[in-house]
């Protein structure tokens, strides 16, 4: 698992810290952790986004979409889920489909990590329940975040293509497969039209 630096939580080894500070040192690793899929297709480390940067993009998109495109969504809940959805990666890393880890095993590893990171916080159980909701897709908000997670990947792929980092059609294909709502499908079609000349045609 390629990272910019070791997990910051290692600096607290053997030291007592307030739960909130300890949680910060845990999730700060999302800033050190590269999105491994980009590295796999040749995006150089100095250009590669971190998981923390991706999570910010997802949270902002969720805020804008929930408040303006999906009035039936609870915007606050949507953003809370978005902020929490990648938290387990702070301990287990950014596991991709190419790593030979089954979805069930990945879920077990990440849930244990989230439980450990949040366990000491006053509302830790509440946050863990939101993370579970995301994993299970058991609410409209959770399903919306799951779609926006992939949409943000497509948006980042479009940025990388414009920066000359290759044809990233596989990421558009992956994103398109999970978009269920007409609003997000229409938005994705607009995104496809913004790809640089020479990229694969939409649906290719």
């Amino acid at each position: 698992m390629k990272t910019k630096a070791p997990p910051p939580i290692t600096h607290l080894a053997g030291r007592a810290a307030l739960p909130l500070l300890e949680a910060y040192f845990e999730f700060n690793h999302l800033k050190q952790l590269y999105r491994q899929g980009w590295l796999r297709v040749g995006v150089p480390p100095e250009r590669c986004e971190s998981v923390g940067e991706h999570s910010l993009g997802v949270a902002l998109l969720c805020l804008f979409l929930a408040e303006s495109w999906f009035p039936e969504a609870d915007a606050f809940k949507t953003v809370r889920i978005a902020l929490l959805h990648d938290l387990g990666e702070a301990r287990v890393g950014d596991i991709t489909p190419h790593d030979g880890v089954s979805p069930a095993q990945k879920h077990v590893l990440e849930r244990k990590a989230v439980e450990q990171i949040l366990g000491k916080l006053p509302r830790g159980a509440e946050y863990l329940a939101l993370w579970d909701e995301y994993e299970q897709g058991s609410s409209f908000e959770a399903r919306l975040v799951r779609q926006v997670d992939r949409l943000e990947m497509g948006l980042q792929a479009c940025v990388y293509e414009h920066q000359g980092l290759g044809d990233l059609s596989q990421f558009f294909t992956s994103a398109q497969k999970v978009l269920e709502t007409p609003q997000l499908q229409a938005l994705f079609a607009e995104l496809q039209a913004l790809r640089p000349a020479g990229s694969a045609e939409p649906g290719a």
Side-chain angles (χ1 to χ4, degrees):
M1 195 65 63
K2 295 182 180 179
T3 65
K4 299 178 185 179
I9 192 64
T10 58
H11 299 299
L12 298 186
R15 304 183 66 177
L18 292 172
L20 180 61
L21 298 181
E22 188 174 333
Y24 178 83
F25 272 72
E26 289 269 24
F27 71 71
N28 183 273
H29 189 51
L30 297 178
K31 298 182 182 182
Q32 326 295 327
L33 178 63
Y34 292 117
R35 290 267 282 170
Q36 305 297 305
W38 301 127
L39 294 176
R40 186 182 61 79
V41 298
V43 174
E46 64 270 17
R47 305 283 291 281
C48 186
E49 71 169 344
S50 69
V51 173
E53 289 166 328
H54 163 70
S55 294
L56 174 63
V58 174
L60 284 171
L61 284 171
C62 282
L63 173 65
F64 303 149
L65 287 165
E67 291 195 332
S68 300
W69 291 48
F70 295 95
E72 68 272 38
D74 179 332
F76 180 54
K77 180 178 181 180
T78 304
V79 173
R80 293 176 88 201
I81 293 173
L83 289 169
L84 293 166
H85 84 282
D86 280 330
L87 191 58
E89 296 183 20
R91 284 197 171 207
V92 305
D94 181 28
I95 299 172
T96 76
H98 301 273
D99 292 326
V101 179
S102 72
Q105 184 181 4
K106 179 176 181 289
H107 172 79
V108 169
L109 291 171
E110 290 187 350
R111 192 184 192 283
K112 181 179 180 181
V114 173
E115 193 172 2
Q116 291 170 334
I117 294 169
L118 299 176
K120 295 180 182 179
L121 295 178
R123 301 176 71 168
E126 180 182 337
Y127 302 140
L128 179 60
L130 287 168
W131 185 89
D132 282 334
E133 199 169 309
Y134 170 79
E135 286 288 298
Q136 296 160 9
S138 58
S139 67
F140 178 82
E141 291 79 8
R143 292 188 294 275
L144 179 58
V145 177
R146 288 165 73 95
Q147 294 175 78
V148 175
D149 179 55
R150 293 291 187 89
L151 175 64
E152 200 281 339
M153 180 183 69
L155 283 158
Q156 183 61 55
C158 188
V159 170
Y160 280 149
E161 286 187 338
H162 279 285
Q163 292 175 341
L165 296 179
D167 181 347
L168 300 174
S169 294
Q170 61 183 292
F171 295 94
F172 289 89
T173 300
S174 176
Q176 190 170 27
K177 287 178 180 178
V178 305
L179 300 180
E180 302 170 356
T181 66
Q183 299 98 313
L184 294 184
Q185 290 169 350
L187 184 60
F188 187 77
E190 292 287 335
L191 174 62
Q192 288 273 33
L194 293 177
R195 296 177 69 185
S199 297
E201 291 298 318

